């Protein structure tokens, strides 16, 4: 068994040389690939395809600005409603609550909160006002569609 040791040493040396040769080939191929103008062009095109278009980015920014304005309007209407309700003017308070409800992103949750926090009389007045809110919203949407059609 004395000849097994030199054979194992030789195999280990061959494996090490093969690994070094493989790594050298990988480095060579990677440098050649990265230096190729066609490869760089392909990478640039691929990155551009992955980026969202400028219009989509502008639309996202617009949506953020619109959401901020809606949140400000919502808070303003709720504060006005609280003011009018604290003065005993239920009609004006319900008007502002309905305005807040029309700009709210989650009207069902808001109605649930109103049900728990408002006096029953005021909440009933608000419930009677909901169909009018829907009609006003539809009318505004139809008006916007007509204006957009006219501008084309």
């Amino acid at each position: 068994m004395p000849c097994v040791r030199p054979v194992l040493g030789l195999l280990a040396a061959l494996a090490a040389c093969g690994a070094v040769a493989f790594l050298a080939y990988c480095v060579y191929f990677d440098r050649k690939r990265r230096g190729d103008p066609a490869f760089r062009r392909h990478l640039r095109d691929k990155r551009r395809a992955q980026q969202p278009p400028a219009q989509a980015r502008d639309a996202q920014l617009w949506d953020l600005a619109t959401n901020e304005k809606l949140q400000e309007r919502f808070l303003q209407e709720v504060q006005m409603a609280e003011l009018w309700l604290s003065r005993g003017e239920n009609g004006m308070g319900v008007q502002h609550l309905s305005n807040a409800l029309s700009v709210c992103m989650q009207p069902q949750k808001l109605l649930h909160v109103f049900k728990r926090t408002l006096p029953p009389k005021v909440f009933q007045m608000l419930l009677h006002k909901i169909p009018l809110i829907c009609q006003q919203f539809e009318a505004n949407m139809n008006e916007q569609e007509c204006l957009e059609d006219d501008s084309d």
Side-chain angles (χ1 to χ4, degrees):
M1 288 256 198
C3 63
V4 173
R5 247 182 191 198
V7 172
L8 286 178
L10 185 62
L11 285 176
L14 279 174
C17 286
V20 168
F22 177 74
L23 287 175
Y25 176 74
C26 288
V27 170
Y28 164 76
F29 182 72
D30 188 52
R31 282 186 178 232
K32 185 176 179 182
R33 179 180 59 102
R34 288 179 185 249
D36 184 20
F39 175 73
R40 289 179 182 232
R41 188 173 32 257
H42 175 70
L43 274 182
R44 189 173 38 245
D45 293 342
K46 188 176 178 181
R47 286 183 187 139
R48 285 182 184 160
Q50 287 177 351
Q51 288 180 348
Q55 292 175 347
R57 279 183 271 158
D58 292 344
Q60 288 174 349
L61 292 175
W62 185 82
D63 287 343
L64 292 175
T66 302
N67 286 342
E68 288 177 6
K69 288 179 184 177
L70 287 176
Q71 287 175 353
E72 289 175 14
R73 173 78 189 267
F74 171 77
L75 291 174
Q76 180 184 8
E77 292 295 334
V78 170
Q79 289 171 351
M80 290 299 295
E82 288 175 352
L83 178 69
W84 285 110
L85 290 173
S86 67
R87 292 182 180 172
E89 294 286 336
N90 293 343
M92 289 298 294
V94 168
Q95 177 65 36
H96 286 285
L97 288 175
S98 65
N99 291 343
L101 193 60
S102 67
V103 297
C104 181
M105 298 294 179
Q106 299 172 339
Q108 290 85 6
K109 288 184 180 180
L110 184 61
L111 278 174
H112 185 67
V113 170
F114 284 162
K115 184 176 183 180
R116 288 184 293 160
T117 58
L118 292 175
K121 178 183 174 187
V122 175
F123 185 71
Q124 286 300 321
M125 291 172 66
L126 182 62
L127 288 180
H128 290 297
K129 193 122 174 120
I130 288 176
L132 296 174
I133 297 170
C134 293
Q135 288 175 353
Q136 287 176 347
F137 182 75
E138 288 177 4
N140 289 340
M141 291 303 291
N142 288 338
E143 183 177 319
Q144 286 180 354
E145 287 176 5
C146 289
L147 291 175
E148 289 173 0
D149 290 343
D150 290 342
S151 65
D152 291 338

